[in-house]
Structures are given as structure tokens and as C-alpha cells.
Amino acid sequence: SGRIIERAGGSMAEELERRRRSRPLPSGEFALSDALYFLKTGVESIVDDQVTQRFSSEELASWNLLTRTNHNFRYISLRLTVIWGLGVLVRYGVLFPLRITLAVIGLSWLVIGTSLVGLLPESSAKRWLSELVHLTCYRICARGLSATVQYHNKENRPQKGGICVANHTTPIDVVILANDGCYAMVGQIHGGLLGVIQRSMVRSCPHVWFERSEMRDRHAVTSRLRAHVAARTKLPILIFPEGTCINNTSVMMFKKGSFEIGGTIHPVAIKYDPRFGDAFWNSSKYNMVSYLLRMMTSWAIVVNVWYLPPMTIQEDEDAAQFASRVKSAIADQGGLLDLAWDGGLKRAKVKESFREEQQKMYSCFIVGHGGPESSA
């Protein structure tokens, strides 16, 4: 799993109880040795941070002739250098021009095809043509990335009127999933080329685009999504509840908003093979153009997609617990680490409430009020 240190298991109370066994203290007494627990936990977090390392590319066990994994040592042997040089010629001189051509064809067909379909009156024929145009476009774009995708358990593919949720590694997750079925996309309205594509898509298919002001209104977003799900004839909504790209080694906290809409949840696990190309988008390091250039000059995008059985919220669950259960199922199927941390920590600091929660747990242990962590 690439862990640097082995963390001790158990809760805070269990760890502190173990440390106090040699010198038992009455309830309510502070022990100086308690500080060692917090010191040890803090050092562990610095040495082997479970959060920030999820926002950088996964380390490879061996070199894949794309980039050096060790930037301090570049020259290994003449033969390896020659092989790498030939690889550069093939990737940039042969594969890259072909992929650019396919991407331009796919996007042009998407804009032209959806605009033409959008002129037709609403009918089953229009919906069929719209799905055909979308599928054709995404499959051409997938060829433009040399995507090799293996879909598992196709009998569990998301159905109309449902919500498809998946772990998020890259913007091309959309292309990978839409290569095997049509989805209603959810997102903010943009300008430029992306805005042209969005406007043409929504003419032929009921995608859910929001203005920037609407995105801040959680109630308005939820209402529109709930109305979409209630119409059982509409395409399943595609949502990435993590809210940011993670490096495909783990799954981080799912935002509960996606699970408050209602309806059936169709979980999907996506796992990329980093040996052929690093699909992770580190948005703090690369802009979209630089990222797509890296993708189109990789050897290939090799990925496995698992469709999991549909899930619904249970009577004794709230939205947060349901989100956590779905996340755990995706992590288990994809062979990913299941983390409770919020992916929003990619750009934000830890909330003050989390620190206060740790302080409250320690206080409960000291005074013996039987808090959630003091039952050991």
C-alpha cells in the first residue's frame, strides 16, 4: 500500500488506557504521558500524511518510459536513453497527431449532431438520435485517448431515473463512463468553447446546467436534480460526490448532498492502470490544456469499470451514513483505500470543528463522562 510507517490501531481512549496501565490514575486526573500520544499522532501525520499525498500522482514501482519517477537521477544507461527517445518520437510524432484529429472529429460531431437533433420536436425518435450522437461522439473521443476500457457487471448499468455516483480521478471519467451508456451531466455553465459544447448538448438532451449564482443555492440545485430524477424517462444523472479529483489510490468523503435527492443510487468504481499513463488531474499543477497534452502523449489510458448493484437509503440511515456506505462499496470493489477525509482539504484548511471534536473526546476521557471514545 506504500505506507511509510505502521500506525497503531485503536481509538484515542484505548491508546491512552494502554499508556496509563503502568501507573493507574483516578478519574479526572491528567497524566503527562497523555501528551506523548498527541505528539506521536502528530509526527505520524507529518511523516505519512493520508490526505495531501492523495493529491499528487501515484508513485510507480518501475519506469514506464514516460517521465522519470526520480528527478534527481536522469541518466541510467545509453540503451535506456535510446529506447526512451524512440518512445518520444512514437508518442509525439505518430500517436499525438492521430489523437488530436480524432478529438477534433469527436467534438465537432458532438456540436453539429446535437444542434441538428435539437431542432427536432420532442419524441422517442429524438431521444434515440440524441443518445446515438452522444455515444458516437464519446467513443470517438475515447479512441482519441487510446482508451482501453474493461466494463464489468454490465447487468448493473445505471437505469433511467436513477443517479450514477463514481469515484473521481480525472475529467475524462465522463468520457470513460459515457462510452458505455448515456448520462445527464450536471455542472456549472461555462463560457468559451466549453460553453458552446454545453449549449449544443442541452438542445438535444436534458442535461442539468447551473448558472454560477445557482450553484451557491443548495436548495435550488437539489430541487432541479430531484425533479430530473422524478421523471423516470430521463437519463440517469452522473455525479462525482468527492467534488475533486483524487489520484486513484483511494476514495475520499462523499458529499451528502447527492444522497439527499432521493431515488436509486447506482455506484460505479473506476480504476486506472498507471503503468500506461497517469490519468490523475492535478489541477493545482496543470491547467486543462497541459493535462490533455499529457493524456494524448501517454501510451494509452487503461481502465477497469465496475458497475455495482443499485443501492437505496435504509430506514435507519441519514444521507451522510448512506453516502459513506456507498463510498465503502466503491472502494472495496475498486481496490482503493477508503478514507473519511474531505477532498475539499485539497484547497482548504481543516475545519476548526474537527479540532474541537478531538478536544471534546479527550475531555470526555479525562472526566469519565462516557463519551463516544471513553468506553474502552
Side-chain angles (χ1 to χ4, degrees), residues 312-374:
T312 54
I313 192 168
Q314 297 176 352
E315 291 184 3
D316 58 343
E317 278 184 324
D318 58 24
Q321 292 170 331
F322 183 33
S324 180
R325 181 162 62 92
V326 173
K327 173 174 70 77
S328 297
I330 290 175
D332 182 61
Q333 179 63 76
L336 304 168
L337 189 62
D338 185 3
L339 297 178
W341 293 97
D342 185 356
L345 293 172
K346 185 176 187 177
R347 295 182 178 87
K349 294 182 179 180
V350 177
K351 293 181 180 178
E352 190 67 29
S353 59
F354 181 78
R355 185 190 303 173
E356 292 173 355
E357 182 184 347
Q358 301 298 309
Q359 294 170 342
K360 184 177 179 181
M361 286 162 54
Y362 180 63
S363 298
C364 289
F365 172 78
I366 289 294
V367 300
H369 283 171
E373 290 291 337
S374 62

Side-chain angles (χ1 to χ4, degrees), residues 92-371:
Y92 283 85
V94 179
L95 297 178
F96 182 56
L98 291 173
R99 290 168 176 172
I100 283 288
T101 302
L102 286 171
V104 170
I105 292 172
L107 291 176
S108 300
W109 170 241
L110 177 64
V111 173
I112 296 171
T114 52
S115 297
L116 292 175
V117 172
L119 299 175
L120 299 175
E122 194 62 41
S123 64
S124 58
K126 178 181 178 180
R127 290 191 291 271
W128 179 81
L129 283 173
S130 174
E131 292 182 17
L132 179 63
V133 169
H134 279 82
L135 275 176
T136 304
C137 162
Y138 285 120
R139 286 173 179 174
I140 293 173
C141 290
R143 301 301 179 269
L145 295 167
S146 294
T148 303
V149 191
Q150 183 69 40
Y151 298 96
H152 307 271
N153 308 325
K154 286 193 173 187
E155 66 276 9
N156 294 326
R157 276 190 294 190
Q159 302 297 313
K160 291 183 177 180
I163 303 171
C164 174
V165 299
N167 56 302
H168 198 25
T169 304
T170 162
I172 66 174
D173 288 336
V174 173
V175 177
I176 298 300
L177 292 178
N179 195 45
D180 191 48
C182 290
Y183 297 90
M185 309 299 175
V186 178
Q188 182 180 309
I189 296 176
H190 295 272
L193 176 61
L194 188 55
V196 172
I197 295 173
Q198 286 181 312
R199 288 191 294 273
S200 62
M201 289 172 64
V202 80
R203 290 191 189 105
S204 67
C205 181
H207 298 286
V208 187
W209 305 129
F210 296 96
E211 296 288 351
R212 183 183 293 272
S213 58
E214 288 182 293
M215 291 296 288
R216 299 192 185 97
D217 187 347
R218 183 175 171 182
H219 177 72
V221 171
T222 302
S223 297
R224 284 191 59 185
L225 293 179
R226 191 169 284 146
H228 182 102
V229 171
R232 295 295 178 180
T233 58
K234 292 185 177 180
L235 295 174
I237 295 175
L238 176 58
I239 298 177
F240 300 103
E242 286 169 301
T244 189
C245 294
I246 311 299
N247 70 357
N248 211 223
T249 61
S250 58
V251 183
M252 302 189 78
M253 186 182 79
F254 279 8
K255 305 291 194 299
K256 66 177 183 178
S258 306
F259 300 85
E260 293 174 333
I261 301 169
T264 302
I265 298 293
H266 298 270
V268 177
I270 307 173
K271 177 62 178 174
Y272 293 88
D273 190 335
R275 294 175 298 175
F276 300 94
D278 181 19
F280 169 60
W281 182 33
N282 186 348
S283 56
S284 60
K285 188 175 181 181
Y286 302 104
N287 59 33
M288 179 61 75
V289 175
S290 300
Y291 169 75
L292 291 176
L293 177 63
R294 286 168 57 85
M295 289 297 93
M296 290 188 170
T297 55
S298 297
W299 294 114
I301 302 299
V302 180
V303 56
N304 281 278
V305 175
W306 289 272
Y307 297 112
L308 280 67
M311 301 172 70
T312 54
I313 192 168
Q314 297 176 352
E315 291 184 3
D316 58 343
E317 278 184 324
D318 58 24
Q321 292 170 331
F322 183 33
S324 180
R325 181 162 62 92
V326 173
K327 173 174 70 77
S328 297
I330 290 175
D332 182 61
Q333 179 63 76
L336 304 168
L337 189 62
D338 185 3
L339 297 178
W341 293 97
D342 185 356
L345 293 172
K346 185 176 187 177
R347 295 182 178 87
K349 294 182 179 180
V350 177
K351 293 181 180 178
E352 190 67 29
S353 59
F354 181 78
R355 185 190 303 173
E356 292 173 355
E357 182 184 347
Q358 301 298 309
Q359 294 170 342
K360 184 177 179 181
M361 286 162 54
Y362 180 63
S363 298
C364 289
F365 172 78
I366 289 294
V367 300
H369 283 171

